[in-house]
Amino acid sequence: MQITFLGTSSGVPTRSRNVSSVALKLPQKAQLWLFDCGEGTQHQLLRSDLKSSQISRIFITHMHGDHIFGLMGLLASCSLSGNVEQIDIYGPPGLNEYLQAGLRYSHTRFSFPVKVHAIRPGVIYEDSEFTVSCNLLHHRITTFGYRVAEKDRPGPFDIEKAKEMQIPPGRVYGQLKRGETVKLPDGRVFHGAEFCGPTEIGRKIAYCTDTIYCENAVELARDADVLIHEATFSHQDAQLAFERLHSTSTMAAQTALAAGAHRLLITHFSPRYAPGNPIELKDLLYEARAIFPNTDMAYDFMTYEVPRRRNVQLNKLGASQSS
Ligand SMILES: [Zn+2]
Ligand SMILES: [Zn+2]
């Protein structure tokens, strides 16, 4: 699971930062999921080593232009390239009308099915490996935060041990691998847990933008391996954050702390903190780290490989903080 930031500026792009989009690469599925799609996202994809043809799902937080203006262009280009099978798009009400109007007035047709899902709080997607849920954030218009949770899976199966114990290979191995209890015809009983390594804990990622500090963001980020949270403003500009319903860097850090998240990646920065201004972006990072030390500041094309937590026991005791 690899996160790539394709845009980290709020409102307008700058020379070094495009507007919002984050890609989540799922190598086990050979799929790419996008979170938001600001204008120019397709150009950012071309400049990255990600493949647009792998995009299968796009999750939109809200209908502000800096999060959706790239959608039509990206989908139209995918159509012309002809190598996309289907894209499912999730987002607030109005998203489908927006796309339909774009299609109609630009005389565009998608060459593959584009399925738009108007979401409500709760689970919005689930398969054998992942659950994606959403909840409302607190912004000027209807805005959703997302949580992607990989399902836990049993640790690696110790086939040598099974052979040593003269358990016949075949169906029984499959049952033990899944952690089931098996009774053999000779009366011996085996528990899957005896043959499997520690459970591989599923990774969890939360994506919360745009929002001022809110409890729903804390819940979405509960125990997350990575929280991606907006930090539009510096703590010193908190008044602006309250007026525009955005977060300061300290609010992002407080959310991560309250949620027990393991790492915080802040993004969606106001262009006002460009170098040479009284407050610079590095100040936002210092402010956040003072509250939540495990914070990094995203930049365009930054990638982050989400580490897997190694040992279930250690994590239960709180002794292992994956970095
Ligand atoms: Zn925004
Ligand atoms: Zn917004």
Side-chain angles (χ1 to χ4, degrees):
M1 266 173 126
Q2 189 190 60
I3 294 165
T4 302
F5 287 85
L6 296 169
T8 55
S9 181
S10 76
V12 296
T14 68
R15 276 170 180 249
S16 56
R17 295 178 186 270
N18 198 43
V19 282
S20 289
S21 186
V22 169
L24 178 63
K25 190 173 167 184
L26 305 170
Q28 64 267 57
K29 287 181 175 298
Q31 284 184 18
L32 204 58
W33 292 0
L34 283 190
F35 293 83
D36 284 329
C37 190
E39 183 187 354
T41 295
Q42 62 168 318
H43 300 262
Q44 297 292 83
L45 281 162
L46 288 171
R47 293 173 63 199
S48 74
D49 52 15
L50 302 170
K51 294 192 185 90
S52 298
S53 59
Q54 291 193 335
I55 296 172
S56 59
R57 298 180 200 283
I58 303 176
F59 301 90
I60 299 293
T61 56
H62 66 301
M63 298 299 288
H64 276 157
D66 58 324
H67 297 255
I68 57 166
F69 281 163
L71 207 43
M72 276 304 295
L74 173 68
L75 294 171
S77 295
C78 287
S79 270
L80 291 173
S81 71
N83 51 9
V84 171
E85 275 176 30
Q86 171 166 332
I87 297 183
D88 285 74
I89 308 179
Y90 304 80
L95 182 57
N96 193 37
E97 287 86 337
Y98 170 73
L99 284 175
Q100 293 307 323
L103 286 171
R104 190 161 64 245
Y105 291 114
S106 65
H107 304 274
T108 303
R109 258 190 79 248
F110 296 142
S111 64
F112 53 89
V114 174
K115 216 171 161 202
V116 182
H117 306 258
I119 56 170
R120 279 187 297 200
V123 174
I124 54 165
Y125 173 75
E126 185 164 17
D127 63 25
S128 59
E129 290 170 280
F130 293 96
T131 305
V132 183
S133 50
C134 72
N135 208 348
L136 287 164
L137 299 177
H138 189 29
H139 190 41
R140 301 192 302 279
I141 59 172
T142 301
T143 302
F144 290 95
Y146 292 97
R147 177 185 174 93
V148 178
E150 191 181 35
K151 293 181 178 175
D152 294 348
R153 57 182 191 205
F157 182 65
D158 189 344
I159 195 162
E160 291 307 319
K161 184 174 175 184
K163 279 183 188 164
E164 271 170 33
M165 308 203 66
Q166 294 176 342
I167 299 171
R171 197 167 57 92
V172 177
Y173 280 18
Q175 289 171 293
L176 291 172
K177 263 186 207 173
R178 291 193 295 274
E180 295 170 15
T181 297
V182 177
K183 186 172 183 185
L184 297 182
D186 62 14
R188 292 184 297 160
V189 175
F190 294 102
H191 303 288
E194 297 163 25
F195 298 90
C196 295
T199 302
E200 290 186 350
I201 304 210
R203 292 161 287 187
K204 301 164 201 78
I205 297 166
Y207 179 72
C208 297
T209 188
D210 297 352
T211 189
I212 194 166
Y213 182 93
C214 71
E215 276 306 312
N216 282 356
V218 175
E219 280 313 310
L220 284 166
R222 184 71 64 202
D223 193 35
D225 294 79
V226 184
L227 165 61
I228 299 166
H229 198 289
E230 72 132 295
T232 308
F233 295 112
S234 151
H235 182 66
Q236 294 180 63
D237 290 326
Q239 190 54 38
L240 287 174
F242 283 109
E243 284 165 18
R244 299 182 193 175
L245 298 183
H246 277 297
S247 288
T248 60
S249 54
T250 47
M251 290 178 197
Q254 280 158 348
T255 305
L257 188 69
H262 292 250
R263 180 168 288 270
L264 169 64
L265 303 177
I266 51 175
T267 183
H268 196 272
F269 307 114
S270 167
R272 71 178 54 224
Y273 304 120
N277 287 298
I279 304 170
E280 296 188 2
L281 279 181
K282 62 177 181 348
D283 299 313
L284 275 70
L285 182 60
Y286 299 150
E287 289 168 359
R289 281 186 177 166
I291 293 167
F292 191 80
N294 221 358
T295 303
D296 279 305
M297 173 166 271
Y299 52 88
D300 286 23
F301 305 112
M302 176 175 125
T303 61
Y304 180 74
E305 180 68 46
V306 186
R308 197 177 270 288
R309 291 189 228 169
R310 281 194 206 93
N311 190 310
V312 61
Q313 268 80 31
L314 282 176
N315 273 294
K316 274 187 180 157
L317 292 169
S320 161
Q321 297 277 310
S322 58
S323 57

